[in-house]
Structures are given as C-alpha cells and as structure tokens.
C-alpha cells in the first residue's frame, strides 16, 4: 500500500481561484495539496461500491459525488459507484453486504446500534457498514472526514455509536423570519415559499447537520406562536420534514401552552381540564397526519411571560404530562424546559428552577425529558453547572446549550464555545460519588435514563456563511460532535474543523487552534471576570451594562447580580446569603463555599467580597478585576495578531471577513474593559493598577452610548 | 487575426462542477466553450496594459483578474497587466495614454462625456479609453460583456455616453432590515455591523451596479425613519459611500419631512419657517461632513401617511425647494416624488398627482427633480404612461420604475419587466407633436431639462441569488441598461443577460429569450386582463382580491377600481366619468376615449363596459375576460414546459430553483383565473365559455384563503 511519506510531502502554496463565502461550512472538500495524496485517495473513491437503495442511499451517492468533484476538481471519470465487485471501498448495511464481505467483518459488528456505523480496513479494502441507512450516512461523513483531514485509511478500525439519543438544534425563529437572539441575519425558513419551494439551503442544512450527527430540529421559537400548530403551517413544516427525513432529522415544534384558547377559543388551557386534554390529543392526531414521524413538542412555559400550568395552579409535571400523553401513541416526546422563574418569587433567581423541579422528580411521564440550560442563570460567559444535573434521578434531563452567542459577543466575537461546554460536561455533580459528571447524567449512564438528549440553540441565519462569523461555524460543528459524544476531545474537534473548513496547512491548523483554545478565557476576562454575570446592556445584551438597574424586573438588571457598593461587590450565595449553593453536592460546597479557596472564576458568583480584599494572586479585588479586564483586551489583540499572520494561507474572502470582525472584537473588548472599570471604579475608589490602560472616554460616554435596532430581539 | 469560424465550432456539453447559487449575477465569467475561443480572447487578456492609478483603476484591475480566473480557470500566468508596451489591449484615460496610442484614436474622442467610454479596434490593438476613471470602469465592463457574449473584438468601434444623468436604485429598506415590498429576504445593509464591517456583498453590489451603469443609490425607505439623519446612521451611511465611491456610485438618503420635529423637537416642520429652513441647512452641512459627495435627498411627502408641506398649507414646491436650498451649495439634489394622493380628495385617485403638480411647473429650484411613477396609479401590471410626462416643460421629471414586483407576482413569478418598461418609455406623449416619447422626456431632449434621471425600486435582498427569483436578476440588469439608454432594444438586453448569466448555448439563449419576451403579456392575461387594475389582495397585494372592499380607505380597495355590478364593469375615465383622460394629449383622447377603438388592454381602465358588450374579437366582454385568464394560465404552463426542455443545459441548482418557482407561478396563475372568474362571474351571471377550465374550488375557498406573514410589508 501507499507509504506514509506522501502525507508529509512539500506543501503547495494555496491557490484561491474561487471566492469562498463560507457557505460550504466544513464540507469544503477542497483539492488535495499534491498529486501523491490525490492519487492515494482516488483509488478508493473511484472504486466504491454502494450497496442497497433508499432515499438515504441517494444522499450518500450525492455526497460522494460532491466530495469527488471538490477533491479532484472534475467529475468522476466513470460511474462513481462501480458495478464491479472488485471495489476498494464498500458501503452497505450489514444485511445488504455480500456474504464474503460480511464474513470479513467477523463478529465486530455486534456492538452496532441503530444509528452507529463501523469503518474497517480489511485486506486492502475499506468496509463501511451499519444496521440502518442513517448509520451508513453517518459513516460516510465519518469516512469523508478522514479524507478531508488526510488520515490514512489503512488504519481504519472504528465502530461508533452516538452516546446520546436526541441531538437537537433549537431554532428560536419566529414566523415573520426574525430570530430571537439571532445574529446571523434572519431565519432561513422561508415560510411564505413553503410548502411548494424546497430551497437548496434546506438540503444543505440537513447535510451539514447529518455530517455531525444532529438528528432533530425544533424549527420555531420557544417563545411560541400558536399559529404554527394550524394547518397552514403544519403543511409547511411537513414539507421541511420530508426534506430532512433522508438525512435522519426529525422535525419538532414548539407548543404554546395556551394554544387551545388562542386557536379554538377554549375558555381555559388548564392541563387537568378534559376538554383541554382532548384538544391536544386531537391536535397531535392532526399533526401526525401531516408529519408521520413528528418528533414532538418543545415547551417554554411559565417563564418570561409565556403561559403555563402555573396559570391554573398546576405543576410543571401536570403541564408536560398532558402534552406527553397526546403524542405518546405516535412515539412523540415532550421536551419541557426547566428555565422557569418568576420575578415575584422572593428567592435568588438562580435557585428557582431547582426549587421547582426537584420536588417533581419521578412525576413525569416516560416520554417527557426536562431540558436544562448549562448553568442556573442564563447562558452567561461562565456559570457553574446547573444544580439540577445530578439531582433528578427519576427524570431524564437533557442539556440546553446556546450555540448562538447572546451573551458572548453575538455575531462579531470569536470565541470557541466548545471550551465552555467541555467545562460543564466534565463537571462532577458527585450525585453518585466522584466521577458523576454532567456528561454521564446526559448520556443516561449515571441514572439509567431511558431518554437522553442534548439541544443547542441555533446560531444559523440568512448570512451567506450561515453563522455571521465564519468561526461561529465551529460552534455548530462542535455542538454536533459533543452531542454525539460529550466526552470528545475539544482540541481534536477544533483541529478537524479547521482542517475541513480552511486548510490542512500545519501553520493554519496550529495558529487557528491556538486562537480557538485560548479564546474562551480571553472573552471571560474582558467581559465578566471573577464570576461577574449578567452585566450586559439591557434587553439586547450587546455590550456592557453594569449600571443597568430599575425598570420592570429586578432580576433583569445588572445591579441585582453584582450588588456593588463602596465596600464590596458580588452575590452571596452561601448560607449567609441566598444559599443557592445548597443545591449542590457537599463536595462543591467545600470548594465554592469558602471565600479563601473558591476558584477565582466563581468568586463573585458565590461571594460578596470587599474591594480591598487581598486575593491569592497578591492583588486586591479591585486590582485583580482591572488586571483581568486588561488581560482580556490583550488577549483579543493577540488573537488579531495571530490571525494576521495567516494572510497568505487563507482565501482573501474569509481572511478579510474574520480580520474585520477581530477588529470589532478588539474594540469591543476595550469598550467592555473601559465601561466596567469606570463604572465599578466609582465604588472601589481606587486607581487603576499599573499595566491597565486608561479608558478612552469618560463614564458618561459609555452610559449614553445607545444604538437602535440592535439585532436579536 | 483569428478567423470567425471559431465562434461556430462544436458545442461542448456543459460541465457543472461547481454549484451555482446565482450570487455572481451576470458577472459569471464562466469558462469558454472550446479551446479556440479561449485562445482568441486570451491573447488580449494576457497582454493588457492598464495605464494610470486610482481607486477605480484598482477596481478595474480586480475585475480583469476575476474575469480571467473565471474564463480560464486559473490565475493569469504572469502579471495580468503587462509592463511592456506591446500590449494588445490598452486601457487608460485619454490624457494618460501614450502619445502614439492616443494619436491612433484621431478625433474620435471628442464626443466623450464625463461618464462615457470608447472601445476601438485599431491596427491589431483594442483601445479602451475615457475622460474619467469611471468612464474607464464602464468601458471595462462593456469590453468584458463583449467577451462574455463571444463578440469579435476586431469589430469594436463604439463610443458610448449615458443618455441619462441620474441612474438610481431606490431601496425601500428599513433600519430594522425589513424591506417594504421586498420579496428577496431582508435588507443587505447590516446597519449593526456598519461602519466597522464592510461586507464583500457591498462591494459585489457596487460591482454589479457599475457593470450596468447605475451611479446612485438611495439606501433607505421612502417611508422614512428620521433616525437615518442622526450621527449614528450618518457614520454608517458614510462607510457605504466610501465603499461605493470607486464604483462611481453616490449615496442618497430619504428625508422624513418632519425630521426637525422628530429629532430636535422643533414645534413645526413648515417649509417656510426660518428655523425649519435653518435646521435643514445645518443638517445638510452635517451630512456633507460625513459624506463629501452626498447625492441628496429622496422624499415621499403628503402621501400614505407621510408628513409633508400640506400639513402646513404649503405646496410641494415649497417643501422641495426648502430641502433643495439646503443641499445646493454642496452640489446635492432633491428627488421629490409625485406619488401624492389623498383619500379625502374627491377625485379619481389617478388624477391627483397631475392636478397637484401641473400647476407647479416651473416653480421648483434648479436642483429639484420630480420623480414620477411610470403610470398614474401604482405599479400595476399594465397602466398607461403617467400623464405628467410631457406636461412639465419647466420642471425636470425622472422616472420611477418598480424593479421589485409588488403587483407582478412578487418573488415567484417570472416576468420580464423590461417589456413593460419599454412600452412606457416608447409611449408618445405628443407634448411637442408626434415622436415626443417618454424616453425623450427622460433624457431631457424634449424639454431641455438640465437634470435627468431614472430610478428603480430595488428588488435586492439577502436571498443567496440577491433577487429571490433567479430571473429577477434580469430586471435589475435591464433596469440599469435602460437607465443608461432608454431606447435600448430589450430583446438584445435579454439576450446579453442570458448569455452572461447562464450560457452562450444557442438553445439556452433562444428558449430563455422566448420565455422572457412572452412573459409579460402572459402575466397580464392571468392577472389583470383588459385594463383591470388594483384587484390584488389587501395590503400585501399577493394574489387576487377583486372582492376587496370597505375598510379605512376606499382608494385602497378593488371595488373602487373595477366598480363591478350585474350590468357592467370598469372605471369610466372619459368625460362622462372622472375625465382623468383629459390629462392626456388630444391624440390619446381619440384613441382611448372611444369604447369602440380603445386598445383592448386599456378597455376597463378608461371605460365602463356592459358584460354582454360584443368586442372586436367577436366575444362579449365576459367571454373575452374568461378566455384571457385561460390564455394566461396556458402561457404560464408553456413557460414551464419551455424551461423544462433546458434541464441538460443549465446547472442543476438554478435549473431546479427556477423550475420550482415556475410550478408556483402556474399554480398562482390558476388561482388568479379561478378566483377572479368566480368573483366576477357572480355579476356577469354567464357561464364560462368553451376552452376555459372549471375552477378548482368554489368562491368561498378563495374568499377565505388567508396567509399570515406575507412578505414585503
């Protein structure tokens, strides 16, 4: 077989014939660097036998063709899929493979699940197999990824099953095509043209998702419009479901809890009212008549103005169970969000979901899964993991990550969200002793959940590159990868993404990986160091707003969370304060409960700390805060400098776009630093320590800085 | 030199390696069909000398490079622009060309205007020259078009000046990125990222516009938000102006007439109030400090709720002149829209603009131009030309066409708007005797206007192909061409567009041209035959609504316009009716005034006609109407069939997209026919004549057919 050496042959300088707007995501399939590598893979790709027939097989055939044209810049010489039996690459379900090929797999396929695949190199052949069509499609993308990242096929010997059943995108897309917390333009769902026009973008959306293992999509905003449950929209949703089906993606809808009242004038939406229950049963039947494999409902209830069971004195379980009963006969599920809080509840907002749901553990129907945000507040740059993880032994919980960056720089900041997600996934709940990580809760192994899931709030929009920032594609990519296996190595994820999306050039890979793996701490430093949280501007959350106070809801202000005064700053969540800490295991109380040894990143999350308190770094609190902000700014500048070194290695379109956004990121990092230090400095009354740059403007400038029509609301 | 024969060599079957989403518009620069043709043009493109330096020269250099990479699928072998003096293609301003080259031009350049160019083939060389940088850019696009459409360079001998000074796009784009009457997604102006991020799409927008001679763009909705006049937005508009400047495109803004009240709390916006006048002068000064070559204001006043001089008992001239005075010192102009009408005015709506503006002829300042829609109503599928054309000898008038298809099928119908525009442009006003065409009014030759202009309401949005329908790109293209020279042959325009955008394959050219040149009459037949008008659905204007009646404004209903009853239908605009016809020349009164010889297409526009009236076709009115609707449907089906014959000749992405929209068009044509005939048939009480298909549903179905969130409002 081929020698390893071709992989380290000379590097041909990049050649940017075609403008690259990023639309192809990580499925670029750009040409090989040299002839030897091309020849090596070509042997396999020109001698491929795809066994079997189905809509998904057609997808596989198209994908192989697309990849071939990209890799070799021409059409396959003959039929891509050879008719002969001397193929070097076999793709087929176990049951479809010829006996001799199947025999070569031996008993290696017994661990294959419904969606899993295996790829093995045996006696000069690559065999890709699975139990299902979808497994084959996942395997095909896995194999193409090996080629995209220039891995040797002789070493292939893997069997992969997803660790988590429901791997979902949540679109907060409104029917008028605005996207709540969307920063990449508008909704890609063109409802008006549906059901008649199926745009290529829907297909490419499904391709991209299937390539990273996503198998469900909730296509409408959790702040739901009941209209989506009417025939007008069900017909449209069904057209999307039809388009997505060959890619293994099910459609879910958000259910507005008072839909029976809105759509059919029922006098109540009380979940224990028989008429209401019947309404939902009829509605479920209707939905399944449009979409036979409809996934189920995603529900935001009793939260931020959404109606819910509380309106009728019922519990979250009452509400969820009613909907679950309606869809159960059809195999549907209900994802019931735990993001429930109320400004009239006289406790710390971050306590409320736990206080509400913990007593309901075990009270949900089998086809309900409770969807919990990663942290107890709301997608802040850094939060401790949500205390419900580990606390619900009898009720399946799924994770809700926010892939769109509401609080993390929105469209223009480059931050590798996988770093944040890994931190949460690997957090130990201690629910069953050491090693009871959140990832084990999610994959069901800790509490033997029958349903498992992970959802990501989509960052996709009409921007030509899907995600606004080219690098935000990496968050979508990483989300899918972690949903498939929450224990995956995020450095590897980043590396694969870079290689598939930009280049296998080692300089590109190393430099971009360096930026990505450092980007998260840099952002936390210039935005919310030391456990600060929710100090963004009001409502749109773009830019700093540590001064935000008053207005309709105290728990939507910054001062509620940092409680600054001339002596100190921070939210006491220990026993002397809100005691939200009590919702965590004893092991964490010992780590977080003590102001002296709490990790610095959660200092002000859990404690109220005097400005002049001396910290382990030798600085007092004020100095430490100021230096962290400065460090964040310097980090952003470092990212910019690193990126600029790649000018010759990246196509001009994407290079310039990212450079332009990095410029904005540096400016906004300085804005954050200057605004927050000027504001907090009024209270600390201490000067900026050496090394921290003077602010560009005075505090009034920042207080009065207002922009109209900030996106995402 | 090369022989002609290479142009008729064998045709290589198309090769669709790269997905084509249409983003490149008519600047596809796809590869040549065969080696001989490629070699022929390559001699010139590899031996090009670009003389001089400017930002626009840089644009020219980039465009030549882009074209080269497209044509030849590789980078230019050496420097695209040769340093040697033996170049075969010379590009440079007259004053910059070497003496010997300039001498070869002889005295052929004396007719060159500010924006004109010449391209001549002289003694084995192609010489492209102009007086200005922009002229050179226009010439470069003209030359590339010759190559794109495979014309022989030896025959080049042209000198082109634009016939019209202001060639403008009007974007009805709101600051929240919705687009009024926009059907191609949302506004491409990402205000939030401006001024810092200049997206490649802005550059490509400028390239596309420059390639067809557009030299101005009004970037905000005529239903204006005063915020665009604040520093926050002026800074952003200035960034766009900077990006567009090298392409010869000036930025204009819409001015909300009561901005002094909205922004600075002035007690009045009375145009004769000195404080108001001073406010606008200060505002103009401020704007020019951001945008030194700011083009001026576009104003919608006293119309559909917009504030205006009427609010203070002043005339349209008073309002326009105040703004004109404010910008005059800086070279700015005011485009004042004549689309002024009021539901409280007790005359036929279509009379009102003429009645209002005609008495003001000669009362406007020199830097005002009055912008008049093509017809007196509102962008209907077919209207007679606006009677103001020819009626304002002392006041420059400019044309406002609607490139976006508010009333002509919106995003999904294929209709070649150039056919409609040509009809208007070539209409004879008889203002100075026979031959006083609208195009002569517009180019200033009829009345010796010092300012000339033509505006198109943009059809551009965030859709990946810019215009929603791939074929709507042709409307943008044709608009630019007709703005440059309103007498251009629209068949040629269509042909060039097809060749540049899709293919030089004769089968593609012939088939698409056939569809395009027939599409307009087809649409009129299935939508508003026989002079019917304004029978679209309420508010969003999507689909039929002949039954629309009542509500706040009578002049926004269908019944106001068709006045159907059991005896007859139509609007009497002769002397026995509203006498709107009196606004036209005597010659037209003779043609249109007589029910017996009025051209069929304006029958119900000018006359009230009994259902049983026998027409020249031998059918009575009802039969004729029904047969026209049927003919329109059959025309749409014919378009679909024609298109399907091109499956092998067009890339699959665009082929399928257009096929999908044609399917919608056929369905909607049937919807129009069925809904209108069922509705009007209630009054005619006659059966459908033979050959007209029975409706698919009953009238109630159509009356109750409602869709939410129809785009464009």
């Amino acid at each position: 077989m081929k020698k390893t050496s071709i992989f380290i042959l000379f590097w041909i300088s990049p050649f940017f014939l075609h403008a690259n707007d990023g639309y192809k995501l990580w499925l670029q399939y750009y040409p090989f660097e040299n002839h030897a590598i091309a020849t090596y893979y070509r042997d396999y790709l020109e001698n491929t036998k795809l066994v079997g027939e189905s809509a998904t097989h057609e997808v596989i055939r198209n994908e192989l063709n697309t990849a071939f044209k990209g890799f070799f810049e021409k059409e396959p010489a003959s039929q891509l899929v050879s008719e002969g039996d001397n193929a070097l690459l076999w793709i087929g379900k176990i049951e479809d493979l010829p006996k001799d090929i199947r025999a070569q797999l031996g008993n290696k396929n017994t661990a294959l699940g419904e969606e899993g695949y295996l790829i093995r190199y045996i006696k000069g052949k690559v065999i890709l197999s699975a139990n299902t069509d979808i497994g084959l499609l996942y395997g095909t993308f896995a194999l193409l990824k090996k080629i995209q990242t220039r891995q040797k096929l002789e070493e292939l010997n893997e069997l992969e099953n997803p660790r988590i059943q429901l791997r979902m995108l949540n679109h907060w897309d409104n029917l008028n095509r605005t996207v709540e917390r969307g920063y990449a333009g508008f909704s890609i769902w063109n409802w008006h043209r549906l059901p008649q026009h199926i745009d290529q973008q829907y297909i490419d959306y499904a391709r991209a998702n299937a390539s990273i293992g996503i198998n469900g999509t909730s296509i409408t905003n959790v702040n739901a419009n009941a209209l989506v449950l009417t025939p007008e929209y069900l017909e449209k949703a069904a057209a999307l479901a039809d388009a997505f089906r060959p890619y293994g993606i099910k459609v879910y809808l958000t259910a507005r809890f008072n839909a029976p009242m809105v759509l059919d004038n029922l006098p109540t939406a009380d979940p224990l009212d028989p008429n209401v229950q019947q309404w939902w049963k009829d509605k479920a039947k209707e939905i399944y008549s449009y979409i036979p494999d409809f996934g189920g409902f995603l529900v935001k209830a009793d939260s931020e103005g959404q109606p819910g069971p509380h309106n009728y004195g019922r519990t979250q379980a009452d509400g969820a169970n009613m909907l679950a009963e309606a869809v159960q006969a059809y195999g549907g599920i209900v994802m019931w969000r735990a993001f429930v809080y109320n400004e009239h509840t006289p406790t710390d907002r971050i306590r409320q979901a736990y206080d509400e749901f913990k007593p309901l553990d075990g009270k949900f129907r089998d086809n309900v899964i409770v969807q919990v945000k990663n942290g107890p507040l709301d997608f802040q740059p850094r939060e401790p993991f949500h205390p419900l993880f580990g606390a619900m032994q009898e009720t399946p919980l799924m994770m809700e990550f926010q892939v769109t960056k509401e609080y993390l720089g929105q469209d223009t900041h480059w931050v590798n969200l996988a770093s944040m997600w890994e931190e949460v996934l690997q957090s130990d709940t201690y629910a069953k002793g050491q090693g009871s990580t959140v990832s084990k809760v999610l994959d069901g192994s800790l509490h033997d959940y029958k349903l498992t899931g992970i959802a990501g709030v989509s960052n996709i929009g009409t921007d030509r590159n899907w995600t606004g920032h080219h690098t935000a594609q990496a968050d979508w990519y990483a989300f899918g990868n972690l949903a498939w296996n929450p224990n995956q190595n995020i450095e590897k994820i980043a590396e694969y993404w870079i290689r598939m999306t930009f280049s296998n050039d080692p300089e590109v890979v190393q430099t971009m990986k360096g930026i990505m793996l450092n980007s998260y701490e840099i952002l936390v430093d210039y935005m919310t160091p030391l456990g600060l949280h929710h100090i963004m501007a009001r409502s749109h959350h773009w830019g700093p707003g540590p001064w935000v106070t008053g207005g309709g809801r105290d728990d939507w202000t910054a001062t509620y969370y940092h409680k600054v005064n001339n002596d100190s700053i921070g939210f006491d969540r220990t026993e002397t304060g809100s005691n939200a800490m009590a919702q965590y295991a004893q092991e964490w109380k010992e780590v977080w409960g003590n102001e002296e040894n709490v990790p610095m990143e959660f200092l002000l999350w859990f404690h109220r700390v005097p400005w002049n308190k001396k910290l382990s770094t030798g600085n007092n609190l004020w100095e430490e805060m100021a230096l962290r902000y400065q460090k964040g700014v310097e980090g952003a500048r470092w990212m910019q400098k690193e990126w600029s070194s790649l000018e010759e290695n990246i196509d001009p379109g994407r290079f310039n776009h990212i450079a332009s956004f990095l410029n904005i990121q540096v400016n906004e990092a300085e804005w954050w630093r200057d605004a927050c230090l000027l504001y907090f400095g009024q209270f600390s009354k201490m000067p900026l320590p050496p090394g921290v740059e003077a602010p560009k403007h005075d505090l009034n400038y920042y207080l009065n800085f207002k922009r109209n029509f900030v996106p995402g609301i």
Side-chain angles (χ1 to χ4, degrees), chain A residues 559-672:
Chain A
T559 53
Y560 175 95
Y561 295 101
H562 62 62
K563 302 187 191 301
V564 70
N565 68 19
N566 289 349
D567 298 320
S568 44
I569 182 171
F571 199 130
D572 182 2
R573 292 185 166 119
T574 67
E575 285 173 10
T576 57
S578 78
N579 206 17
M581 191 181 297
Q583 297 174 338
Y584 290 95
Q586 183 57 35
E587 288 87 341
W588 282 117
K589 289 176 209 156
E590 281 162 20
V591 176
W592 291 336
N594 186 334
E595 191 178 312
E596 300 306 321
N597 65 358
V598 59
M600 205 84 89
E601 68 259 28
F602 291 128
L603 181 63
L604 304 180
W605 182 279
F606 285 115
H607 298 278
R608 183 150 187 79
V609 184
W611 284 114
N612 58 10
K613 163 88 182 176
K614 197 75 144 188
L615 304 180
S616 59
T617 54
N619 302 312
N620 69 28
L621 176 63
W622 166 250
E623 292 162 343
E624 186 67 25
M625 181 183 288
L627 288 163
R628 294 248 176 174
Y629 272 111
Q630 176 67 27
K631 188 163 159 249
V633 169
E634 286 165 10
R637 290 177 189 151
W638 169 82
M639 288 168 65
Q640 188 176 36
K641 192 158 149 279
E642 287 291 292
W643 180 252
S644 70
S645 75
L646 296 179
E647 180 155 14
E648 301 300 315
N649 312 67
I650 304 277
D651 53 285
R654 291 187 292 178
F655 177 82
N656 290 329
H657 196 285
I658 292 174
S660 166
F661 276 17
L662 277 165
N663 188 46
I664 295 175
Q665 184 168 5
V666 168
N667 288 340
E668 294 194 357
E670 292 170 351
W671 174 28
W672 269 96

Side-chain angles (χ1 to χ4, degrees), chain A residues 25-26 169 204-206 208-209 212 214 403 421 459-460 465-467 471-481:
Chain A
L25 297 161
W26 47 89
L169 282 188
D204 292 329
Y205 167 86
N209 279 323
I212 53 175
I214 305 277
V403 189
W421 298 334
N459 63 352
I460 296 168
N465 64 12
W466 300 83
T467 55
T471 69
Q473 297 178 353
D475 300 323
W476 180 7
Y477 179 83
F479 169 73
N481 277 269

Side-chain angles (χ1 to χ4, degrees), chain A residues 68-85:
Chain A
F68 191 99
K69 289 196 284 187
F71 290 147
F72 302 109
E73 295 196 293
K74 56 180 184 174
E75 299 273 354
S78 61
Q79 190 86 351
L80 175 67
V81 175
S82 127
E83 293 303 316
D85 281 349

Side-chain angles (χ1 to χ4, degrees), chain A residues 422-632:
Chain A
E422 181 187 51
E423 187 172 296
V424 174
L425 291 167
Q426 298 308 325
S427 290
D428 200 335
T429 68
Y430 297 104
K432 292 190 166 180
Q434 197 168 1
S436 303
T437 58
V438 171
S439 76
K440 287 188 187 163
V441 176
L442 293 178
D443 70 17
S445 59
L446 195 70
H447 301 309
D448 197 23
Y449 289 160
K450 297 299 177 236
L451 266 182
T452 59
I454 179 165
V457 180
S458 160
N459 63 352
I460 296 168
T462 50
D463 271 16
R464 293 189 58 76
N465 64 12
W466 300 83
T467 55
H469 204 309
H470 285 285
T471 69
Q473 297 178 353
D475 300 323
W476 180 7
Y477 179 83
F479 169 73
N481 277 269
L482 291 171
W484 180 277
N485 175 1
N487 291 324
Q488 266 188 81
N489 178 305
I490 64 157
E491 186 176 337
K492 270 283 169 211
I493 293 174
E495 178 169 334
Y496 287 143
W497 175 75
I498 298 163
R499 288 177 178 272
M500 296 162 80
T501 311
F502 284 93
S503 175
N504 278 289
D505 176 350
E507 202 176 323
V508 172
V509 174
Q510 281 314 111
T511 306
M512 288 190 74
K513 202 161 72 173
I515 295 173
M516 289 170 74
L517 296 177
N518 285 289
S519 61
Y520 174 56
E521 295 294 345
I522 288 169
L523 177 131
V524 171
D525 276 343
Y526 67 65
M527 217 174 252
T528 54
L530 298 170
L532 285 169
H533 49 284
H534 214 301
I535 56 172
M536 290 74 186
R538 198 192 287 274
S539 176
H540 56 60
H541 301 155
W542 174 62
W547 46 77
V548 169
T549 194
R553 289 187 66 149
D554 201 29
D555 55 357
W556 287 356
T557 67
T559 53
Y560 175 95
Y561 295 101
H562 62 62
K563 302 187 191 301
V564 70
N565 68 19
N566 289 349
D567 298 320
S568 44
I569 182 171
F571 199 130
D572 182 2
R573 292 185 166 119
T574 67
E575 285 173 10
T576 57
S578 78
N579 206 17
M581 191 181 297
Q583 297 174 338
Y584 290 95
Q586 183 57 35
E587 288 87 341
W588 282 117
K589 289 176 209 156
E590 281 162 20
V591 176
W592 291 336
N594 186 334
E595 191 178 312
E596 300 306 321
N597 65 358
V598 59
M600 205 84 89
E601 68 259 28
F602 291 128
L603 181 63
L604 304 180
W605 182 279
F606 285 115
H607 298 278
R608 183 150 187 79
V609 184
W611 284 114
N612 58 10
K613 163 88 182 176
K614 197 75 144 188
L615 304 180
S616 59
T617 54
N619 302 312
N620 69 28
L621 176 63
W622 166 250
E623 292 162 343
E624 186 67 25
M625 181 183 288
L627 288 163
R628 294 248 176 174
Y629 272 111
Q630 176 67 27
K631 188 163 159 249

Side-chain angles (χ1 to χ4, degrees), chain A residues 4 177 179 194 236 263 278 382 392 424 459 513 566:
Chain A
T4 313
R177 299 189 68 188
V179 180
L194 285 168
K236 297 167 188 282
L263 297 181
Q278 190 58 46
R382 178 167 259 142
M392 302 283 278
V424 174
N459 63 352
K513 202 161 72 173
N566 289 349

Side-chain angles (χ1 to χ4, degrees), chain A residues 229-275:
Chain A
L229 303 177
T230 61
E232 173 184 353
Y233 282 95
L234 291 175
E235 196 186 358
K236 297 167 188 282
L240 287 177
D242 291 343
F244 299 161
R245 193 169 293 112
Y247 299 84
I249 296 166
K250 281 189 186 178
V251 161
Y252 298 73
L253 295 175
T254 48
R256 191 165 174 91
F257 199 75
N258 65 355
M261 302 167 73
V262 175
L263 297 181
D264 285 314
N265 294 311
L266 264 62
T268 175
D270 182 347
L272 301 193
D273 181 296
N275 291 328

